[in-house]
Each structure stands twice: as structure tokens, then as C-alpha cells.
Amino acid sequence: ISTQTQIAGSVFANCIMNASGVYCHSAHELDAVQQSTAATFVTKSATLAPRAGNPEPRYCTVPFGSINSMGLPNHGLAYYLDYVSQAQRDFPGKSYFLSITGFNVEEDLALIRQVQASDFAGIVELNLSCPNVPGKPQTGYDFEAVARILEAVFALYQAPLGIKLPPYFDLIHFDEIAAILNRFPLAYVNSVNSIGNGLCVDAASEAVLIKPKGGFGGIGGVYLKPTALANVRAFYERLKPEIQIIGTGGVVNGSDVFEHILCGASMVQVGTTLQEEGIGAFARLTRELKEIMAAKGYQTLDDFRGRLKTL
Ligand code: RRO
């Protein structure tokens, strides 16, 4: 039984990897993902300059998931370009994902130019959905801004590039954003980022759980799964076949991975569960996925990808 997959022509021996933000801030964490059974890694979203992020506590686990308002702490693009460059030398033939995010189109272009000037040979993930920087909207909810950014980015950059989107909740919004995305040579769409600006409350202390933004933060984990599957499915049905889907959200067990692929995902990313369980989550999820495939008589992901039935 094989869980091999492909994104933008790169072949990966497995279809499960980290979600950006988890286990990918430092070289130490990225090494751990690299040495695991994960398909590959994606780096923490990088800005032009290093950022400390929001004040702590800024991540909290809750029974059905997590809330975070990290505020984009990262070592800056140069750090992640150096790390990937070394990984490319150490493991020739393996592809890596580099996440970047600017605060406006000029910054996005400056980031892209730095990637272009480097020896990066992997896949760029442009994060259009960070919910946690005070005063900055989630770009993915401004459809005209998404169109403007992609026009500018693809005028400059022709190598494989995908985007990380926030969850959408209305079928009209899926129609509108998909019509825009279909105008561009995107490698993939990654759905979804956390549900922005949720609020978790501790009844005992009568207080919020995280410090930034009065306790508001991005929701991940079990809460996210139906929304994530809906976004994967809605984009699988609307995007041109050249644009692949990466499914992220609510992956706790092998069935969750299976369901993302059934909805149309070509790669599945793990955030909250990886944060809570640690690097062993990759081997467990892979084993559980293979057990489900074996029980159903499936040999490869192609046997069931996208083949969700309706009633
Ligand atoms: O760093 C964060 O606060 C963060 C980011 Br950039 C993101 O894209 N999604 C998220 O839940 N947190």
C-alpha cells in the first residue's frame, strides 16, 4: 500500500506533513519533521524581517482543539531560505515548501524577489490568511486584493507557487474566489488556515485563555474539520484540474486524513495534533491511513482521491 503523492510535479513518498506554524519555526523543529515519516516540511510563514510575535500566552489547547494568536513570530525569510538551501544539498531530489507572507503587495513582491535570487528549488506557499496581526485583515477575505496580489506575483514568478486560504462559509464566496483563482497558474490551494478570531473562555477564572487581542484567536483542531472538508470539497469541485488541493484542518486520526483525500486533497497537513502529540503523530497517522486503505482494498491514493459520494 502506497501513500505516495505529487504536488506541482514533485513526488512525495507520503501524503502527510506539518501545517505551517507548527514544528517549523526553528532549524531544530524543522530537523525533527525532516527526520520523521512526514512527506516533507513547510516552514513557518516568513516575513522580510524577523518578528517576535504577540505577547504570551498566545497558544492554548482546549478539549476539541486549540486557539492561537502567535502574531507571526519568525526568524525572517533569509533564515528559512538558508535552512532549505542546506536541506536541498543534504537530500537532493526532495522538495520543500517555503511559506511567506507580506503585509501588502509590495512586501509580497520583495519576498518573492528574494526567493528568486536564492537557490530555492521547492514550492512557495503564499499565506493569504494570517488572522492574528492586530490591525491587519485576513487578505483571503478581500477578493479584489487576492486578485491584485496574484496578478503581481505571477507577473514576476513562474515557479511552483500555492496559496494558503482562510475558511469560507458561503457557497457564493466559493464561486467568487474560485473564479478569481482559476485565472492564475497556481500550483495548489491549501484549505484551511485556522478559523479566525474565535474566543475561548475559562469559566472557573472567568477569563480568556490567551493574551493578545482580548483573547480572540485562530481556532484549530477538531472544531475545524467539517469546515476544512467543506473548503477542500468546494475548491475541488470549482478549481481547474491543474490547481491541486492541500487539505488542512481537524486531522486527529487516519480517518481524518482519508476523508480529506476523499474530498479531493492531494496532500494533508497536521497542525494542532502535531503540536499536542509531537513528531510521532506522522507515523501513527500514516499507519492508521494505511489500515483504512487495506480494509477497503485501496492500493494508492488515486483509488479514492476526490471520489466522495453524494446522496
Ligand atoms: O502566526 C500566527 O499567528 C498565525 C498565522 Br501567520 C497563520 O497563518 N495562522 C494562524 O493560525 N496563526
Side-chain angles (χ1 to χ4, degrees), residues 116-152:
Q116 247 171 346
S118 76
D119 64 359
F120 181 71
I123 302 164
V124 171
E125 176 162 296
L126 179 62
N127 182 358
L128 297 178
S129 45
C130 177
N132 298 331
V133 178
K136 304 287 182 187
Q138 292 162 81
T139 310
Y141 289 137
D142 181 344
F143 296 175
E144 281 175 23
V146 170
R148 274 199 310 279
I149 289 166
L150 293 180
E151 296 274 6

Tab-separated table of all heavy atoms in Angstrom, residues 116-152:
chain	number	residue	atom	x	y	z
A	116	GLN	N	13.551	34.348	-5.536
A	116	GLN	CA	14.061	34.210	-6.902
A	116	GLN	C	15.580	34.330	-6.961
A	116	GLN	O	16.238	33.665	-7.749
A	116	GLN	CB	13.468	35.320	-7.772
A	116	GLN	CG	12.545	34.808	-8.815
A	116	GLN	CD	11.808	35.922	-9.527
A	116	GLN	OE1	11.798	37.075	-9.069
A	116	GLN	NE2	11.190	35.583	-10.622
A	117	ALA	N	16.122	35.193	-6.106
A	117	ALA	CA	17.569	35.432	-6.095
A	117	ALA	C	18.320	34.331	-5.352
A	117	ALA	O	19.550	34.307	-5.341
A	117	ALA	CB	17.863	36.793	-5.461
A	118	SER	N	17.602	33.408	-4.725
A	118	SER	CA	18.230	32.329	-3.959
A	118	SER	C	18.301	31.070	-4.815
A	118	SER	O	17.866	31.061	-5.970
A	118	SER	CB	17.407	32.041	-2.698
A	118	SER	OG	16.237	31.317	-3.043
A	119	ASP	N	18.813	29.982	-4.227
A	119	ASP	CA	18.856	28.714	-4.970
A	119	ASP	C	17.635	27.841	-4.637
A	119	ASP	O	17.641	26.637	-4.892
A	119	ASP	CB	20.161	27.960	-4.685
A	119	ASP	CG	20.283	27.529	-3.235
A	119	ASP	OD1	19.364	27.827	-2.426
A	119	ASP	OD2	21.293	26.889	-2.892
A	120	PHE	N	16.573	28.444	-4.074
A	120	PHE	CA	15.382	27.691	-3.697
A	120	PHE	C	14.792	26.981	-4.912
A	120	PHE	O	14.544	27.597	-5.947
A	120	PHE	CB	14.341	28.629	-3.069
A	120	PHE	CG	13.088	27.914	-2.641
A	120	PHE	CD1	13.105	27.055	-1.546
A	120	PHE	CD2	11.886	28.087	-3.319
A	120	PHE	CE1	11.961	26.388	-1.149
A	120	PHE	CE2	10.737	27.428	-2.922
A	120	PHE	CZ	10.777	26.565	-1.831
A	121	ALA	N	14.563	25.679	-4.769
A	121	ALA	CA	14.046	24.890	-5.893
A	121	ALA	C	12.730	24.208	-5.545
A	121	ALA	O	12.263	23.328	-6.279
A	121	ALA	CB	15.081	23.847	-6.311
A	122	GLY	N	12.131	24.585	-4.410
A	122	GLY	CA	10.912	23.926	-3.956
A	122	GLY	C	9.657	24.684	-4.353
A	122	GLY	O	9.597	25.307	-5.420
A	123	ILE	N	8.661	24.610	-3.474
A	123	ILE	CA	7.337	25.159	-3.760
A	123	ILE	C	7.058	26.281	-2.766
A	123	ILE	O	7.211	26.085	-1.551
A	123	ILE	CB	6.273	24.039	-3.631
A	123	ILE	CG1	6.604	22.887	-4.600
A	123	ILE	CG2	4.872	24.588	-3.879
A	123	ILE	CD1	5.871	21.597	-4.294
A	124	VAL	N	6.678	27.443	-3.272
A	124	VAL	CA	6.356	28.578	-2.401
A	124	VAL	C	4.889	28.511	-1.992
A	124	VAL	O	4.014	28.249	-2.823
A	124	VAL	CB	6.622	29.919	-3.117
A	124	VAL	CG1	6.082	31.088	-2.309
A	124	VAL	CG2	8.117	30.096	-3.377
A	125	GLU	N	4.635	28.715	-0.693
A	125	GLU	CA	3.256	28.831	-0.206
A	125	GLU	C	3.059	30.273	0.280
A	125	GLU	O	3.654	30.688	1.275
A	125	GLU	CB	2.985	27.847	0.940
A	125	GLU	CG	1.600	28.004	1.550
A	125	GLU	CD	1.157	26.796	2.371
A	125	GLU	OE1	1.009	25.699	1.780
A	125	GLU	OE2	0.990	26.928	3.587
A	126	LEU	N	2.241	31.013	-0.445
A	126	LEU	CA	1.949	32.392	-0.059
A	126	LEU	C	0.756	32.371	0.903
A	126	LEU	O	-0.349	31.975	0.521
A	126	LEU	CB	1.645	33.217	-1.312
A	126	LEU	CG	1.289	34.690	-1.100
A	126	LEU	CD1	2.439	35.461	-0.449
A	126	LEU	CD2	0.920	35.338	-2.442
A	127	ASN	N	1.016	32.787	2.143
A	127	ASN	CA	-0.028	32.752	3.172
A	127	ASN	C	-0.891	34.008	3.055
A	127	ASN	O	-0.428	35.120	3.347
A	127	ASN	CB	0.632	32.660	4.559
A	127	ASN	CG	-0.385	32.559	5.685
A	127	ASN	OD1	-1.597	32.588	5.448
A	127	ASN	ND2	0.114	32.447	6.905
A	128	LEU	N	-2.137	33.827	2.629
A	128	LEU	CA	-3.061	34.958	2.469
A	128	LEU	C	-4.105	34.953	3.585
A	128	LEU	O	-5.217	35.453	3.398
A	128	LEU	CB	-3.760	34.865	1.105
A	128	LEU	CG	-2.854	34.967	-0.128
A	128	LEU	CD1	-3.669	34.808	-1.417
A	128	LEU	CD2	-2.108	36.303	-0.149
A	129	SER	N	-3.772	34.375	4.727
A	129	SER	CA	-4.831	34.139	5.713
A	129	SER	C	-4.416	34.241	7.168
A	129	SER	O	-5.111	33.720	8.035
A	129	SER	CB	-5.435	32.759	5.459
A	129	SER	OG	-4.428	31.788	5.249
A	130	CYS	N	-3.332	34.950	7.482
A	130	CYS	CA	-2.986	35.083	8.907
A	130	CYS	C	-4.040	35.924	9.618
A	130	CYS	O	-4.288	37.060	9.234
A	130	CYS	CB	-1.628	35.706	9.116
A	130	CYS	SG	-1.321	35.928	10.895
A	131	PRO	N	-4.681	35.368	10.662
A	131	PRO	CA	-5.760	36.098	11.335
A	131	PRO	C	-5.307	36.915	12.537
A	131	PRO	O	-6.147	37.530	13.189
A	131	PRO	CB	-6.680	34.958	11.799
A	131	PRO	CG	-5.765	33.813	12.070
A	131	PRO	CD	-4.580	33.979	11.145
A	132	ASN	N	-4.033	36.945	12.847
A	132	ASN	CA	-3.633	37.356	14.199
A	132	ASN	C	-2.742	38.581	14.310
A	132	ASN	O	-2.188	38.822	15.374
A	132	ASN	CB	-2.921	36.196	14.891
A	132	ASN	CG	-3.836	35.004	15.056
A	132	ASN	OD1	-5.045	35.161	15.177
A	132	ASN	ND2	-3.266	33.812	15.044
A	133	VAL	N	-2.562	39.344	13.246
A	133	VAL	CA	-1.729	40.527	13.398
A	133	VAL	C	-2.649	41.728	13.616
A	133	VAL	O	-3.445	42.070	12.741
A	133	VAL	CB	-0.818	40.732	12.178
A	133	VAL	CG1	0.009	41.989	12.336
A	133	VAL	CG2	0.097	39.524	12.001
A	134	PRO	N	-2.594	42.319	14.839
A	134	PRO	CA	-3.526	43.410	15.145
A	134	PRO	C	-3.544	44.478	14.053
A	134	PRO	O	-2.493	44.921	13.587
A	134	PRO	CB	-2.977	43.955	16.469
A	134	PRO	CG	-2.305	42.783	17.113
A	134	PRO	CD	-1.706	42.000	15.970
A	135	GLY	N	-4.731	44.828	13.603
A	135	GLY	CA	-4.868	45.879	12.603
A	135	GLY	C	-4.756	45.403	11.162
A	135	GLY	O	-4.999	46.177	10.237
A	136	LYS	N	-4.371	44.131	10.959
A	136	LYS	CA	-4.220	43.615	9.587
A	136	LYS	C	-5.342	42.619	9.278
A	136	LYS	O	-5.494	41.622	9.981
A	136	LYS	CB	-2.869	42.906	9.420
A	136	LYS	CG	-1.659	43.756	9.774
A	136	LYS	CD	-1.394	44.807	8.724
A	136	LYS	CE	-0.146	45.620	9.091
A	136	LYS	NZ	0.069	46.759	8.190
A	137	PRO	N	-6.107	42.858	8.221
A	137	PRO	CA	-7.187	41.922	7.879
A	137	PRO	C	-6.628	40.634	7.261
A	137	PRO	O	-5.488	40.589	6.813
A	137	PRO	CB	-8.016	42.691	6.857
A	137	PRO	CG	-7.072	43.655	6.239
A	137	PRO	CD	-6.038	43.982	7.272
A	138	GLN	N	-7.471	39.583	7.253
A	138	GLN	CA	-7.106	38.358	6.533
A	138	GLN	C	-7.312	38.620	5.044
A	138	GLN	O	-8.445	38.754	4.582
A	138	GLN	CB	-7.993	37.195	7.015
A	138	GLN	CG	-7.716	36.768	8.456
A	138	GLN	CD	-8.852	35.945	9.039
A	138	GLN	OE1	-8.961	34.753	8.794
A	138	GLN	NE2	-9.701	36.563	9.826
A	139	THR	N	-6.205	38.645	4.307
A	139	THR	CA	-6.243	39.014	2.887
A	139	THR	C	-7.244	38.178	2.090
A	139	THR	O	-7.911	38.694	1.194
A	139	THR	CB	-4.839	38.835	2.284
A	139	THR	OG1	-3.903	39.498	3.140
A	139	THR	CG2	-4.762	39.407	0.892
A	140	GLY	N	-7.356	36.901	2.442
A	140	GLY	CA	-8.207	35.999	1.679
A	140	GLY	C	-9.677	36.377	1.684
A	140	GLY	O	-10.450	35.878	0.863
A	141	TYR	N	-10.085	37.245	2.604
A	141	TYR	CA	-11.481	37.690	2.641
A	141	TYR	C	-11.711	38.941	1.784
A	141	TYR	O	-12.846	39.398	1.662
A	141	TYR	CB	-11.924	37.938	4.085
A	141	TYR	CG	-12.074	36.657	4.901
A	141	TYR	CD1	-11.596	36.577	6.202
A	141	TYR	CD2	-12.712	35.537	4.364
A	141	TYR	CE1	-11.731	35.410	6.952
A	141	TYR	CE2	-12.846	34.366	5.103
A	141	TYR	CZ	-12.359	34.307	6.388
A	141	TYR	OH	-12.501	33.151	7.120
A	142	ASP	N	-10.635	39.501	1.216
A	142	ASP	CA	-10.741	40.660	0.322
A	142	ASP	C	-10.424	40.156	-1.095
A	142	ASP	O	-9.264	40.092	-1.504
A	142	ASP	CB	-9.743	41.739	0.778
A	142	ASP	CG	-9.789	42.985	-0.082
A	142	ASP	OD1	-10.348	42.932	-1.210
A	142	ASP	OD2	-9.267	44.023	0.367
A	143	PHE	N	-11.483	39.772	-1.831
A	143	PHE	CA	-11.279	39.068	-3.101
A	143	PHE	C	-10.521	39.919	-4.122
A	143	PHE	O	-9.718	39.401	-4.892
A	143	PHE	CB	-12.619	38.602	-3.682
A	143	PHE	CG	-13.334	37.583	-2.822
A	143	PHE	CD1	-14.607	37.139	-3.165
A	143	PHE	CD2	-12.759	37.056	-1.676
A	143	PHE	CE1	-15.279	36.193	-2.396
A	143	PHE	CE2	-13.414	36.110	-0.886
A	143	PHE	CZ	-14.684	35.686	-1.250
A	144	GLU	N	-10.784	41.230	-4.139
A	144	GLU	CA	-10.056	42.092	-5.085
A	144	GLU	C	-8.576	42.158	-4.738
A	144	GLU	O	-7.719	42.194	-5.627
A	144	GLU	CB	-10.662	43.500	-5.094
A	144	GLU	CG	-11.933	43.556	-5.913
A	144	GLU	CD	-12.621	44.915	-5.832
A	144	GLU	OE1	-11.951	45.921	-5.519
A	144	GLU	OE2	-13.836	44.942	-6.070
A	145	ALA	N	-8.277	42.169	-3.452
A	145	ALA	CA	-6.865	42.177	-3.033
A	145	ALA	C	-6.179	40.879	-3.459
A	145	ALA	O	-5.035	40.904	-3.932
A	145	ALA	CB	-6.758	42.369	-1.520
A	146	VAL	N	-6.875	39.746	-3.325
A	146	VAL	CA	-6.301	38.461	-3.747
A	146	VAL	C	-5.962	38.527	-5.243
A	146	VAL	O	-4.866	38.135	-5.668
A	146	VAL	CB	-7.272	37.296	-3.458
A	146	VAL	CG1	-6.775	36.001	-4.107
A	146	VAL	CG2	-7.442	37.106	-1.946
A	147	ALA	N	-6.892	39.046	-6.042
A	147	ALA	CA	-6.655	39.150	-7.487
A	147	ALA	C	-5.454	40.047	-7.789
A	147	ALA	O	-4.589	39.694	-8.602
A	147	ALA	CB	-7.915	39.675	-8.183
A	148	ARG	N	-5.404	41.199	-7.121
A	148	ARG	CA	-4.277	42.131	-7.328
A	148	ARG	C	-2.957	41.491	-6.959
A	148	ARG	O	-1.955	41.617	-7.682
A	148	ARG	CB	-4.471	43.399	-6.475
A	148	ARG	CG	-5.308	44.496	-7.110
A	148	ARG	CD	-5.057	45.839	-6.416
A	148	ARG	NE	-5.173	45.774	-4.958
A	148	ARG	CZ	-6.326	45.816	-4.289
A	148	ARG	NH1	-7.461	45.925	-4.941
A	148	ARG	NH2	-6.338	45.753	-2.967
A	149	ILE	N	-2.914	40.807	-5.824
A	149	ILE	CA	-1.666	40.189	-5.364
A	149	ILE	C	-1.220	39.107	-6.347
A	149	ILE	O	-0.050	39.042	-6.733
A	149	ILE	CB	-1.848	39.606	-3.938
A	149	ILE	CG1	-1.965	40.745	-2.928
A	149	ILE	CG2	-0.695	38.672	-3.576
A	149	ILE	CD1	-2.480	40.303	-1.555
A	150	LEU	N	-2.164	38.266	-6.800
A	150	LEU	CA	-1.780	37.165	-7.694
A	150	LEU	C	-1.337	37.694	-9.056
A	150	LEU	O	-0.415	37.148	-9.672
A	150	LEU	CB	-2.908	36.144	-7.810
A	150	LEU	CG	-3.206	35.378	-6.509
A	150	LEU	CD1	-4.340	34.377	-6.716
A	150	LEU	CD2	-1.965	34.677	-5.966
A	151	GLU	N	-2.000	38.766	-9.541
A	151	GLU	CA	-1.537	39.402	-10.787
A	151	GLU	C	-0.068	39.786	-10.660
A	151	GLU	O	0.757	39.493	-11.527
A	151	GLU	CB	-2.316	40.702	-11.078
A	151	GLU	CG	-3.792	40.571	-11.346
A	151	GLU	CD	-4.117	40.283	-12.796
A	151	GLU	OE1	-3.164	40.076	-13.568
A	151	GLU	OE2	-5.315	40.235	-13.132
A	152	ALA	N	0.245	40.476	-9.578
A	152	ALA	CA	1.607	40.994	-9.383
A	152	ALA	C	2.602	39.854	-9.181
A	152	ALA	O	3.706	39.867	-9.744
A	152	ALA	CB	1.626	41.948	-8.190
